Amino acid sequence: MNRLLKISLLLFFFALCGGAMVATYRAQERTPPPATRELYSIVNQQLAAFRTADFDSAYRRAAAGVQQKFSRAQFEFMIRRDFSPMTEAERVEFGAIGVEGASAMVQVFLMAPDGAVRGFLYSFTAERDGWKIDGVQRLGPQPARHLPGLRL
């Protein structure tokens, strides 16, 4: 393969990568920020589905990346094993929200029947059919307190 052909292929590859980068940036730029109540509603719908053991409904609120990583059965097993406090929450309160392009984060505080407060950080991503949950991370221990939030 001659030197000119190698240089041409390399330049074509960099131009292709640059074009993909610009297209991704513009797509994220066009994503309208979600209404706060929309993110709250998604969390509340998934928590309600967990409480009634409707894991099909809860799974539909998960982002495509989560659904590619976990089957429906694996998703249920993970929730029951690692996130059982979500299936027992009596009340929920929302904290800080951050939105950047096609991503959002929401702090969620759940009160368990024993009065313990557990914090979680939900991450969302914008998909063609709306905002979806693409991750949940436990926050550190939360002080026991009366949460004035929504009773579930």
Side-chain angles (χ1 to χ4, degrees):
M1 191 184 282
N2 71 29
R3 191 172 193 198
L4 183 60
L5 182 60
K6 288 180 184 179
I7 291 172
S8 297
L9 285 173
L10 188 60
L11 288 175
F12 172 74
F13 175 73
F14 284 127
L16 185 64
C17 289
M21 202 166 69
V22 169
T24 301
Y25 175 78
R26 289 194 178 183
Q28 287 179 346
E29 199 174 60
R30 281 186 259 132
T31 303
T36 303
R37 69 180 181 273
E38 179 182 3
L39 298 178
Y40 292 170
S41 176
I42 295 165
V43 171
N44 281 324
Q45 289 169 7
Q46 190 176 60
L47 290 173
F50 288 154
R51 279 192 313 281
T52 61
D54 181 5
F55 288 94
D56 290 330
S57 179
Y59 189 68
R60 283 192 299 272
R61 283 160 182 69
V66 173
Q67 292 182 9
Q68 288 173 355
K69 187 175 179 181
F70 299 101
S71 70
R72 179 10 209 103
Q74 291 170 327
F75 176 79
E76 179 179 351
F77 179 75
M78 175 189 61
I79 296 301
R80 290 187 187 276
R81 183 191 65 209
D82 299 334
F83 295 97
S84 63
M86 291 181 165
T87 65
E88 304 161 354
E90 287 186 341
R91 284 189 283 173
V92 63
E93 183 175 297
F94 296 96
I97 296 177
V99 178
E100 187 173 316
S103 298
M105 305 281 268
V106 177
Q107 287 179 326
V108 178
F109 300 97
L110 304 176
M111 180 173 275
D114 64 2
V117 177
R118 293 177 177 91
F120 298 90
L121 185 62
Y122 272 72
S123 58
F124 294 82
T125 189
E127 294 185 353
R128 277 183 251 131
D129 57 342
W131 288 85
K132 300 287 184 138
I133 300 168
D134 69 357
V136 178
Q137 177 183 351
R138 289 180 189 266
L139 298 175
Q142 303 299 311
R145 60 188 174 150
H146 174 69
L147 293 177
L150 197 60
R151 183 173 293 274
L152 300 174

